[in-house]
Amino acid sequence: PVTIPRPITETIKPTIITWDIQPRTGSGLVTISWSVTDSGGSYLNRVEVKRAIFDSLNCNDTIKTGCSWRSISSITAPLNRNSWSGNTTNSPASGTYWYGLHVLDNAGNRTIESAPIKVVVQ
């Protein structure tokens, strides 16, 4: 009989080294940048940028459990990369928002940023 090896399940989550949000004054554009790595061997898959409207009742500086997050970008990582730095832009309406970052590898492991970033768009 032929023995087919079982695939090894990779469970190491990717790492967010740095990420940042920079509003462009007067333009309404927000630039989201990141540097991420994957040491598990399945390579990086994508970065997802999430946004939630800042709300004084359920999504504010002290209460973040009620936030309704919306995916605004899903950027595919370069093929077969263990590390990646990149950026994307977003043009939200005037207001105050939380931005979050998720990074996924090809094994489906997901890492979520440890703290969202608040942005005020004029």
Side-chain angles (χ1 to χ4, degrees):
V2 175
T3 303
I4 299 173
R6 293 179 48 183
I8 297 171
T9 303
E10 192 261 292
T11 59
I12 299 171
K13 292 182 178 186
T15 302
I16 298 171
I17 304 299
T18 60
W19 82 288
D20 193 27
I21 307 284
Q22 292 296 322
R24 293 188 189 166
T25 306
S27 71
L29 277 177
V30 174
T31 300
I32 303 99
S33 59
W34 61 84
S35 179
V36 296
T37 63
D38 179 56
S39 62
S42 67
Y43 300 115
L44 293 161
N45 180 280
R46 70 184 179 275
V47 162
E48 296 175 343
V49 179
K50 309 281 185 172
R51 185 179 72 205
I53 296 172
F54 184 92
D55 183 309
S56 62
L57 299 176
N58 67 1
C59 187
N60 57 49
D61 289 331
T62 56
I63 304 168
K64 297 182 185 115
T65 57
C67 294
S68 177
W69 291 93
R70 178 176 163 235
S71 182
I72 58 167
S73 283
S74 180
I75 303 98
T76 303
L79 193 61
N80 298 330
R81 295 284 296 273
N82 288 322
S83 63
W84 174 37
S85 295
N87 65 67
T88 190
T89 58
N90 182 241
S91 299
S94 295
T96 303
Y97 302 92
W98 287 112
Y99 277 83
L101 189 79
H102 296 195
V103 59
L104 291 87
D105 65 17
N106 286 315
N109 299 307
R110 174 186 304 264
T111 297
I112 299 171
E113 91 295 322
S114 60
I117 296 174
K118 185 168 68 171
V119 174
V120 177
V121 178
Q122 303 291 334

